[in-house]
Amino acid sequence: TYSSNGGYYELVPDPSKAAKRETVIVYVADRNNHRIRRIEDRQVYRLAGTGSATQMDGPLTSSRFYYPMGLAVSKITDVVKIYVADSYSHSIRQIDLGLAKVTTIAGTRRSA
């Protein structure tokens, strides 16, 4: 061992195996900004939604949400889908990361 800046480092002379932890990705319904966010490695990214308060399906970059309130993530094989409760549009929206698009799968755009 040796010390370079007060910390001690040990050399591993003959490593045979190593384990890698998968990156943790967190998805957030950013309600007041009408967007879905992805947090990875302490960085926040816009996943979907332009920020306009209305509903519109389509590519992730041009899709629109209307006060998204909650979400759930599904991963079957390598396909990740995110289901979003889009409260003011009274609908459930699906974000398909494989296709990079948003689709309304249930509900209406009208008030109850």
Side-chain angles (χ1 to χ4, degrees):
T1 58
Y2 80 100
S3 176
S4 62
N5 60 359
Y8 290 93
Y9 302 94
E10 291 187 16
L11 299 176
V12 180
D14 188 21
S16 60
K17 297 200 185 220
K20 178 184 172 193
R21 187 180 71 138
E22 286 192 40
T23 302
V24 175
I25 300 173
V26 176
Y27 298 101
V28 177
D30 186 357
R31 182 181 63 157
N32 290 330
N33 290 306
H34 313 286
R35 293 182 173 162
I36 306 302
R37 307 275 187 187
R38 176 177 60 98
I39 302 172
E40 183 176 0
D41 294 329
R42 295 192 262 179
Q43 298 293 318
V44 179
Y45 303 94
R46 176 175 60 113
L47 178 67
T50 63
S52 295
T54 185
Q55 178 190 19
M56 187 168 80
D57 292 343
L60 296 179
T61 55
S62 61
S63 62
R64 295 180 182 174
F65 291 86
Y66 200 8
Y67 290 101
M69 295 292 282
L71 48 81
V73 179
S74 168
K75 181 178 181 185
I76 300 173
T77 62
D78 288 335
V79 179
V80 176
K81 293 183 180 181
I82 302 166
Y83 298 92
V84 180
D86 204 12
S87 65
Y88 277 38
S89 68
H90 304 280
S91 61
I92 303 296
R93 316 282 299 286
Q94 175 183 271
I95 300 172
D96 187 320
L97 294 183
L99 299 175
K101 73 177 204 174
V102 177
T103 307
T104 301
I105 61 170
T108 66
R109 295 181 183 184
R110 293 175 284 168
S111 299

